Each structure stands twice: as C-alpha cells, then as structure tokens.
Amino acid sequence: MSELQILTVLLAVGAYFVCGVPFGLFVARAMGHVDVRATGSGNIGTTNVARSVGKGAAAATLLLDLGKGLVWMLVSRVVLALVVFGGDFASLNHTTVFGTSLTVVFLACICGHVFSPYLRFHGGKGIAVGFGAALGLYWPIGVGLLALFLLLVIPTRYVSLGSVVAAASLPVWCLIFGFPPVAIAPVAVAAVVVIWSHRENVRRLVHGEERHFAFHKSEKENDR
C-alpha cells in the first residue's frame, strides 16, 4: 500500500470512532433527562431530540453532530496536506486522488454515526454529520445539499423527504464539481447508507403516514 492509502485508512478509522459519538443521546439526557432511544422514533438524531426534548437540545445536537463531521474532515485535509503533500495546501485539489481519499473518509463519517461502535452498531440517520462532513469534503457540495434539503422541508415539513432526496443527490453533486469517477463510489455508498437508515420513513411517506416535523411542547403548552 502507498503512503496515501495507509493514511486514508487510518483517517477513515478515526472518522468512524469520532463520528460514532452519540451526542444526541448525551444532550437529551443532560437537558431533558430523557433516553431518546426509548421515546419517539427511538433515534438519537436531531429530529427525535427536537420532538422529545425541545429546541435547545435539538440545536445542541445539530451543532455537535454537524461539528464532528466537519472537524474530522478538516483534520483529514490538514493531515493529508502535511504528511503526503509536504505541506503544500495548494495541491489539495478535489479533482485528483486527494478527492478520492477524502470521499473514503466521508463514508467512514457516515458509517460511524449510523452504525455507532458505542451503541452496538445502532445510531442516527446521518444527515447532520453528513452535512458537516460534506462541508469539509468540498463546501459547495454542503451548500447544495442544504439548499435542496430546505427547498423540500420548508413547504412540506417532512424532514425525512428532504433528507432522502439530499442524500440521493450527493453523487450527482460530486460529479458536477469534478470529483474523479472512482471517488463517486464511496459517496454513492454513503448515500445508500443514509437512505437505508430512513427506510421506515420512506415507507411511511409512501403510505401517507409520515409525521410532519414539530418541536416538543411542554405540559403547560399542551394544556393550552
């Protein structure tokens, strides 16, 4: 194996364990004394935290999940630049083999969150961490994903719809922005993982049973 391949594998392993940290579980326990795995959809992600605890906990979960993906991708860029490219940050062109290495790390970020090693390989659905990691992969892709997500979620209030469509569009964005053909495979697998994690949401959407997004309401608010 080449130096680049070895480093890519090491960074991918690090991504898996870092992005596997279940921040939603910790935030819900700290701010709402709730185990989100036992309430609502049972998911540890932002949407279920919002429904089970409230806006503050949801915002904290979103920022932490997004942050872990973004930070690890940025760390990976710096490590690759220093070790493989001799500190030449100008050579970090996503249209080269460098972009392929980053997409492998990106896939590991998604897998770490969805198949958390700390929760017996259960986890979230990969949207917030995927958005953060996409910003670190190539920021215009992250912006495109967010725009598409909001375009669907705002009028429909179906978070799952926006999530699934945004995930499905990921390989297309990478093609548009010139990633090498071989780099499309890891992001395509990442998209499949995210869509798979939403399989129950897709079923409910098809049958018209999916819930619209709404924040948790306190007992006082519910009494009104």
Side-chain angles (χ1 to χ4, degrees):
M1 294 179 69
S2 69
E3 183 181 40
L4 177 60
Q5 290 172 326
I6 293 172
L7 192 56
T8 299
V9 170
L10 292 176
L11 289 170
V13 171
Y16 178 75
F17 284 98
V18 169
C19 292
V21 177
F23 284 120
L25 179 64
F26 301 148
V27 168
R29 282 178 173 173
M31 299 180 67
H33 307 292
V34 170
D35 184 342
V36 288
R37 295 172 298 177
T39 184
S41 66
N43 190 265
I44 64 168
T46 301
T47 302
N48 196 41
V49 171
R51 287 171 171 160
S52 303
V53 182
K55 296 179 182 179
T61 300
L62 175 63
L63 291 175
L64 288 168
D65 281 347
L66 186 154
K68 66 186 181 184
L70 173 59
V71 168
W72 191 259
M73 291 298 292
L74 294 179
V75 167
S76 298
R77 296 180 74 95
V78 171
V79 170
L80 287 169
L82 293 176
V83 177
V84 179
F85 297 94
D88 181 12
F89 285 86
S91 67
L92 304 187
N93 190 326
H94 67 276
T95 64
T96 68
V97 67
F98 168 71
T100 302
S101 292
L102 279 185
T103 59
V104 173
V105 179
F106 175 86
L107 171 59
C109 289
I110 298 295
C111 289
H113 185 76
V114 176
F115 307 109
S116 173
Y118 312 110
L119 298 177
R120 298 181 179 179
F121 306 108
H122 292 85
K125 296 184 178 179
I127 295 304
V129 69
F131 173 60
L135 288 173
L137 176 65
Y138 186 59
W139 69 263
I141 292 177
V143 173
L145 292 173
L146 179 61
L148 184 57
F149 175 83
L150 294 176
L151 184 65
L152 292 168
V153 173
I154 290 175
T156 68
R157 289 198 297 130
Y158 286 132
V159 173
S160 56
L161 177 62
S163 300
V164 168
V165 174
S169 74
L170 181 58
V172 178
W173 288 113
C174 288
L175 282 171
I176 289 172
F177 288 113
F179 277 75
V182 68
I184 305 304
V187 294
V189 173
V192 170
V193 169
V194 172
I195 294 170
W196 174 85
S197 73
H198 285 81
R199 59 195 181 281
E200 284 300 315
N201 302 92
V202 172
R203 182 191 64 78
R204 289 193 295 268
L205 282 168
V206 170
H207 291 89
E209 300 170 353
E210 181 70 328
R211 293 173 59 190
H212 292 286
F213 177 76
F215 285 106
H216 168 77
K217 294 184 178 181
S218 67
E219 291 183 5
K220 183 177 180 180
E221 289 173 315
N222 285 330
D223 288 339
R224 292 178 182 176

